[in-house]
Amino acid sequence: MKQVMFTLMAMILALGVVSASDYKIPLIGSKAPKFSANTTNGKITFPNDFGNSWKILLSHPADFTPVCSSELLELAHLQNEFKKLGVELAVVSTDDIVLHKMWKAHLEELNYKQRGTVHIGFPLIEDPDAKVSRLYGMLHDEESTDRDVRGVFIIDDKNIIRSVNFYPVEVGRNMNEFVRMVEALQLTESKFVYTPANWQKGDDVIVPYLPYSTEELEADPKLADRYYSVGNRMWFEQVDASTAKVDNDEE
Ligand code: BEZ
């Protein structure tokens, strides 16, 4: 009997090790994992149903909680900003569809920040068996085994994960940051530039290469108006040449 118990314990432990090591967070550059689920907008297959839009998948710990409520209302407030950027939103938690529908209806009645009521157009995904949450690494077991942390996956038009963020239960996210992130990602995709710290749309950008040689500058002196350096490692491109400063210092 002792031996049977020991074998059983060893098997349970081994299973635990296997499932823990199988539990991976999808990383930047990887294909967004696919799933089908029931949502407040009907059944969806993510990310496929959103075609070649960009997508943001957000998780949150629980319906009808204050921080999550404020997050959903801020997200709904920015829906049109995301639409303009070609971004579709989807939100998941381990609550079921009945609770999701009740919570959505409740939120849509609120006058948050005196902005009036707002319609929540994006789907709230039910995930009571945590299938989606596990697939995207949104359950952080040390924190909770049944409530998601605040996860954010930004996914591009080719369904590649471009940004991964996790926030703790206690801290509500800045939804404007995800608008900024998409603007930066789409800009750096459209031309070979990077964005410096605290970049906001319209700010100068970093060029990750020496923008011109001495010969090129001689041939086209206007290049010095378009690019400037801070020290000799950081080269910037002026977005608006009429307002930007020029600092071609050679350190
Ligand atoms: C909140 O979003 O306010 C919250 C979520 C989970 C536990 C406690 C608070």
Side-chain angles (χ1 to χ4, degrees), residues 60-71 147-148 150 169-170:
H60 70 91
D63 293 1
F64 283 104
T65 52
V67 178
C68 297
S69 296
S70 70
E71 287 191 328
R147 278 182 166 184
D148 291 339
R150 303 184 193 280
V169 169
E170 299 82 359

Side-chain angles (χ1 to χ4, degrees), residues 137-149:
M138 286 157 164
L139 275 173
H140 292 195
D141 287 343
E142 298 295 324
E143 175 72 16
S144 169
T145 53
D146 59 3
R147 278 182 166 184
D148 291 339
V149 294

Side-chain angles (χ1 to χ4, degrees), residues 32-62:
K34 181 177 161 187
F35 63 84
S36 294
N38 210 9
T39 83
T40 47
N41 292 0
K43 193 169 176 206
I44 63 163
T45 297
F46 186 92
N48 309 54
D49 282 357
F50 293 130
N52 54 8
S53 294
W54 284 58
K55 299 112 193 142
I56 303 184
L57 179 66
L58 301 99
S59 65
H60 70 91

Side-chain angles (χ1 to χ4, degrees), residues 207-220:
V207 284
Y209 53 88
L210 201 60
Y212 50 76
S213 63
T214 315
E215 296 75 40
E216 283 166 333
L217 184 61
E218 271 168 20
D220 180 7

Side-chain angles (χ1 to χ4, degrees), residues 78-123:
L78 292 174
Q79 280 169 118
N80 288 339
E81 291 298 311
F82 285 113
K83 266 259 136 64
K84 278 186 227 156
L85 291 167
V87 179
E88 295 283 348
L89 304 166
V91 174
V92 64
S93 79
T94 54
D95 298 295
D96 66 22
I97 194 70
V98 176
L99 205 64
H100 275 354
K101 284 184 175 166
M102 283 166 59
W103 188 40
K104 178 179 176 232
H106 163 71
L107 292 174
E108 287 181 337
E109 283 178 352
L110 300 179
N111 179 13
Y112 188 63
K113 294 189 174 171
Q114 306 305 313
R115 290 176 186 149
T117 55
V118 67
H119 169 67
I120 296 171
F122 46 84

